[in-house]
Amino acid sequence: SSELTQDPAVSVALGQTVRITCQGDSLRSYYASWFQQKPGQAPVLVIYGKNIRPSGIPDRFSGSSSGNTASLTITGAQAEDEADYYCSSRDSSGNHLWVFGGGTKLTVL
Amino acid sequence: QVTLKESGPVLVKPTETLTLTCTVSGFSLSNARMGVSWIRQPPGKALEWLAHIFSNDEKSYSTSLKSRLTISKDTSKSQVVLTMTNMDPVDTATYYCARMNIVAPVEYFDLWGRGTLVTVSS
């Protein structure tokens, strides 16, 4: 199996840039996806693949990857970006299994 | 409009079997590019992937829960069903179904249902 590790909490001043990271062996082989989840709501896909934003996701969200670490960057964080963020990828076993990170609580100050 | 909607019991007793249904609309479960997963989230905790079914009926399960899970689909009804046996209070969670879009080598859960909260209690 595989694990994805995220920092439990990150904070950013309004309008500043923040990077949320996700580490795991599977990220050497598979793309990460990133999800935003606000209280009481289902997760919403914000980044997938190399750095692809679904329709409707602001361009202040971007993704990158290096080695075993994937990153979600929010450039010019807004108050409405305060949420939990989860990464996900295929398990590194080579089987059709998927894993999620433990989530990062983003606070916009 | 593409949607997924979970349905099932709100409350189950310990040792009972949980059956959840995900009804999809706006796409076909026979679409080779798409599959459906079940994912759960205990209150205040992280997301946990449970099971997946592909368009060709291939199935995969979480290693830790494999012995308790069964996923199936009825393409004509546009439904994906998850059963989990021997329910325990620790299985209390919001259960989501999510569509996986596959554009090799990229795979991503692009659409989620609103989730259904299942409480396990006697």
Side-chain angles (χ1 to χ4, degrees):
Chain A
S1 64
S2 174
E3 291 186 350
L4 297 178
T5 301
Q6 299 182 240
D7 291 328
V10 171
S11 62
V12 60
L14 184 68
Q16 296 304 300
T17 296
V18 62
R19 176 174 291 184
I20 298 170
T21 60
C22 174
Q23 289 188 304
D25 288 341
S26 63
L27 299 178
R28 297 184 185 277
S29 305
Y30 301 103
Y31 289 110
S33 299
W34 289 95
F35 303 90
Q36 178 192 70
Q37 186 180 35
K38 296 182 179 179
Q41 299 183 18
V44 172
L45 178 69
V46 294
I47 290 287
Y48 67 96
K50 197 168 185 178
N51 178 19
I52 304 171
R53 282 176 291 105
S55 174
I57 302 301
D59 61 6
R60 63 179 178 271
F61 290 87
S62 63
S64 61
S65 184
S66 179
N68 73 336
T69 302
S71 300
L72 173 70
T73 300
I74 307 174
T75 304
Q78 302 299 302
E80 61 263 32
D81 299 333
E82 185 163 294
D84 293 327
Y85 290 85
Y86 293 92
C87 59
S88 174
S89 81
R90 177 90 81 94
D91 182 279
S92 60
S93 67
N95 298 319
H96 290 131
L97 306 175
W98 285 270
V99 290
F100 286 88
T104 297
K105 168 64 178 176
L106 175 66
T107 300
V108 180
L109 304 171
Chain B
Q1 187 181 10
V2 181
T3 63
L4 302 92
K5 185 175 182 180
E6 305 88 350
S7 59
V10 175
L11 179 67
V12 297
K13 292 181 168 55
T15 75
E16 287 187 342
T17 294
L18 171 68
T19 299
L20 295 172
T21 301
C22 175
T23 303
V24 309
S25 63
F27 70 100
S28 172
L29 295 174
S30 62
N31 187 323
R33 278 185 46 193
M34 294 169 184
V36 173
S37 274
W38 283 95
I39 296 151
R40 72 178 180 180
Q41 185 174 37
K45 297 189 177 181
L47 300 166
E48 178 185 17
W49 177 81
L50 299 176
H52 185 83
I53 190 162
F54 292 86
S55 59
N56 63 0
D57 217 38
E58 179 184 350
K59 306 169 179 75
S60 60
Y61 297 99
S62 162
T63 303
S64 61
L65 292 168
K66 185 173 185 176
S67 64
R68 299 173 54 204
L69 296 173
T70 302
I71 191 170
S72 62
K73 67 181 175 77
D74 184 331
T75 302
S76 65
K77 293 183 178 179
S78 295
Q79 292 181 333
V80 176
V81 175
L82 180 77
T83 62
M84 180 180 289
T85 61
N86 194 24
M87 293 292 285
D88 183 272
V90 300
D91 297 313
T92 294
T94 296
Y95 287 75
Y96 295 99
C97 58
R99 184 178 78 170
M100 170 162 285
N101 211 327
I102 303 169
V103 184
V106 181
E107 307 166 333
Y108 52 101
F109 296 111
D110 63 342
L111 289 168
W112 296 60
R114 295 180 68 177
T116 185
L117 175 62
V118 178
T119 300
V120 184
S121 175
S122 55

